Amino acid sequence: MTATLRGAGAGQRVAKSGPDRRRMLAGSLAMIMTLTTRSRLAQATPDDGSLGRSAAGCGVRFGAAYDAEVFEDAGYAELIRRHSTVTGNLNAFKYDWLRPKGPQADFHMADRILAFAAEARIPFTATTLFWNDYPAPWLKHLSVAELRRLFDAHVDEVVGRYAGRIAAWVVVNEPFAPWDGEPGIYRKGPWYAAFGPGYIERAFRRARAADPSARLILNEGFCERRDDIGAAVRPALRGLARRLLDDGVPVDTIGLQGHIQPRYGVDHVAYGAYLAELADLGLSLEITELDVDDSRMPGDIEVRDRQVAEQYRAFLDQVLAVPRIRSIMTWGISDRTTWYSDVAKAENPVSPRPPRPLPYDRAMQPKPATAAIRAAFETCLEPRR
Ligand code: G3I
C-alpha cells in the first residue's frame, strides 16, 4: 500500500503505509500540505482537464449523471466523456420513465443512455428501480395484488434485460420521508403500500438474483442537513442498513445523494463523522447526486459562484477523508440541465433566477466549483489503494 499526498509538489509519493501510518502522516504533513497546496493552486491548474483523472489520484471515481442532453448537445456530451470515470442516468431508468402510460415498458431512451456510456467505456450506475416518490399516475388505481405482481415483474424484466452491462443499480431510492408520518419514518407510495417496509429487502434479493454481477445500492438524501429532517433520516438509514446486513440481504453500497442545501444548515464535519459511522458497517459508500443549492446565496454571480465552490470543497474534504468512499457523482455537469431550474420556476414563475449549482455554467465554461472539486482531489491523502 502506498499513500500519495496529492498537492505536496507534483505527484509526490510518500512511501509505504496502512491506515496507522496514514494517520501519522496526516498529522505531520498537514502543515506542508496547506502551504504547498496554495502554491500548487497558484500554478494555474487548468480547469478543463479530466476531473475523473484527478479523482483517480485520490483512489476514487468521479463523474456526472446525464439524460438525453448528451444526444442534443455535443458540448455536454464532451464534458461527460472528459470528466467521468463513472456515470449514470438522471431519469431514464426510473419506473415512471420506463412505464409512463402502463405496465408495458419503453426501453428506447434507457438503451440509448446506456449505449452512450458503453461506447465511452464508462461504468454505468442505473437509478432507480424503486422510489416511492413520483409514482407513475396509472399505478394509483391498482390493487395491492397487482402492485405486488408488477413490482416483481419490474425487477426481473429490467435488471434481467441489462444484466452484465450495468455496473451498479440504485435498487431503492429515498426509503425515508419523516413528513409522511409513517412508523419508522418510511416514505409512503405504491411499493410501500404493496409490501410495507419489506419492499426494500425484496427488491435487493430479487435484483441480486436477476443480475449477480451488479453492485446494489441503497440510496438516501437529506443526511447532510443539520435540521430535523437530517436528524431523523441519519439514524433511520444506519438502522435500516444494519438490519438488512444482519438478515443477509445483498446490499453492497450506501449511496448518499449529496444535494447540499445550505438554506437548511449544513455541517460538513458532522457529516464526515456520520459517513465514518456508516463505513463501520462494512459497506462501501458513494456520493450519487452531488450539487449545491445557490438559491439563497447573493445575487452577484462572482460571490455566488465562490460560495458554491466553497461548499463543494468543504463537503469533499470531509467525504474524501473516509476510506470507504469509492465514487463521487454530480447530478448533471452544467447549469444548463439542473433540477433546480424547475425549483426556481416553481418559486418564481415570472422571473426565475437561473440557478448555478453545478461545476460548469450554461455556456459550458468551468466555474470556481470545478477548480474546488479538483483541488479537493489533489490535496486528499490517498487512502484507498
Ligand atoms: O421532460 C419533460 C418536459 O417535456 C415537460 O415539458 C416538463 C413539464 O413539467 O417536464 C419535463 O420532465 C420533468 C423532468 O424532471 C425533466 O426536467 C419532469 O416533469 C420532472 O418530474 C422531472 O423531475 C426529476 C425528478 O427527479 C423526479 O423524477 C428531475 O429531473 C430529477 O433531477 C430529480 O432527481 C431527483 C433524484 O431522482 C432523487 N434525489 C433528488 C433529485 C432531485 O429532485
Side-chain angles (χ1 to χ4, degrees):
M1 255 220 202
T2 313
T4 302
L5 185 64
R6 306 286 297 183
Q12 180 183 328
R13 285 203 156 245
V14 182
K16 292 297 275 174
S17 83
D20 293 343
R21 169 94 169 140
R22 197 169 71 240
R23 246 171 259 130
M24 283 166 46
L25 285 172
S28 59
L29 295 177
M31 177 76 81
I32 303 171
M33 188 164 74
T34 308
L35 296 173
T36 52
T37 297
R38 279 194 200 128
S39 66
R40 185 185 170 94
L41 290 177
Q43 288 164 19
T45 312
D47 281 345
D48 53 359
S50 168
L51 288 171
R53 215 166 24 243
S54 300
C58 193
V60 295
R61 290 180 184 268
F62 174 83
Y66 63 92
D67 266 337
E69 52 278 331
V70 295
F71 309 121
E72 292 149 10
D73 185 331
Y76 205 101
E78 197 279 320
L79 284 182
I80 297 287
R81 283 198 207 94
R82 189 196 319 165
H83 289 299
S84 300
T85 50
V86 61
T87 190
N89 63 292
L90 292 162
N91 290 313
F93 283 75
K94 289 174 178 170
Y95 194 99
D96 57 321
W97 285 60
L98 289 174
R99 307 182 196 273
K101 300 208 167 76
Q104 183 74 27
D106 176 358
F107 290 108
H108 173 72
M109 185 51 76
D111 285 353
R112 284 186 75 199
I113 297 279
L114 179 59
F116 175 87
E119 275 158 30
R121 295 170 183 264
I122 307 170
F124 189 88
T125 297
T127 187
T128 175
L129 274 182
F130 295 110
W131 184 21
N132 276 298
D133 209 356
Y134 293 92
W138 58 271
L139 287 174
K140 277 183 201 141
H141 312 294
L142 302 185
S143 67
V144 163
E146 282 170 312
L147 287 170
R148 288 183 173 178
R149 192 182 56 72
L150 287 171
F151 182 96
D152 288 349
H154 184 63
V155 188
D156 297 353
E157 182 181 16
V158 179
V159 181
R161 176 186 182 88
Y162 296 108
R165 295 190 282 148
I166 280 186
W169 266 105
V170 171
V171 176
V172 170
N173 185 44
E174 294 179 12
F176 300 112
W179 52 88
D180 276 353
E182 285 299 296
I185 69 164
Y186 286 102
R187 184 185 287 273
K188 285 205 244 183
W191 314 121
Y192 181 76
F195 295 104
Y199 84 91
I200 300 170
E201 168 173 349
R202 190 178 186 92
F204 277 94
R205 291 198 192 278
R206 213 159 177 112
R208 175 55 42 92
D211 182 0
S213 69
R215 208 157 35 73
L216 304 183
I217 302 175
L218 170 65
N219 203 44
E220 187 48 278
F222 316 110
C223 292
E224 62 290 319
R225 279 167 60 156
R226 209 175 41 182
D227 62 356
D228 289 351
I229 303 285
V233 172
R234 280 188 294 273
L237 177 64
R238 196 177 53 235
L240 172 62
R242 167 88 280 153
R243 287 193 300 281
L244 292 173
L245 288 176
D246 287 349
D247 292 346
V249 179
V251 181
D252 300 308
T253 300
I254 299 182
L256 286 313
Q257 293 176 2
H259 292 292
I260 302 170
Q261 296 180 304
R263 68 160 99 173
Y264 301 117
V266 286
D267 182 340
H268 295 299
V269 174
Y271 182 67
Y274 175 68
L275 292 187
E277 276 178 40
L278 284 183
D280 284 344
L281 295 173
L283 295 165
S284 59
L285 305 176
E286 295 186 4
I287 303 301
T288 50
E289 303 184 10
L290 181 59
D291 55 17
V292 176
D293 174 18
D294 66 338
S295 60
R296 300 297 185 272
M297 291 179 183
D300 181 276
I301 283 184
E302 213 174 297
V303 177
R304 198 168 6 141
D305 284 356
R306 201 167 57 236
Q307 291 189 6
V308 166
E310 284 165 5
Q311 289 291 331
Y312 272 104
R313 181 65 199 269
F315 179 85
L316 287 176
D317 280 350
Q318 294 303 321
V319 164
L320 292 171
V322 181
R324 282 189 186 272
I325 284 284
R326 52 181 296 155
S327 75
I328 315 283
M329 195 142 75
T330 54
W331 204 233
I333 194 144
S334 137
D335 296 332
R336 193 177 285 190
T337 312
T338 166
W339 65 289
Y340 279 116
S341 297
D342 291 339
V343 177
K345 271 182 226 147
E347 282 185 0
N348 186 346
V350 182
S351 110
R353 184 173 86 159
R356 302 175 64 83
L358 287 165
Y360 278 76
D361 69 12
R362 296 170 84 86
M364 306 296 181
Q365 293 306 305
K367 300 190 305 181
T370 307
I373 294 170
R374 188 185 312 286
F377 289 140
E378 290 184 344
T379 55
C380 77
L381 286 166
E382 182 185 6
R384 283 156 282 266
R385 282 186 182 161

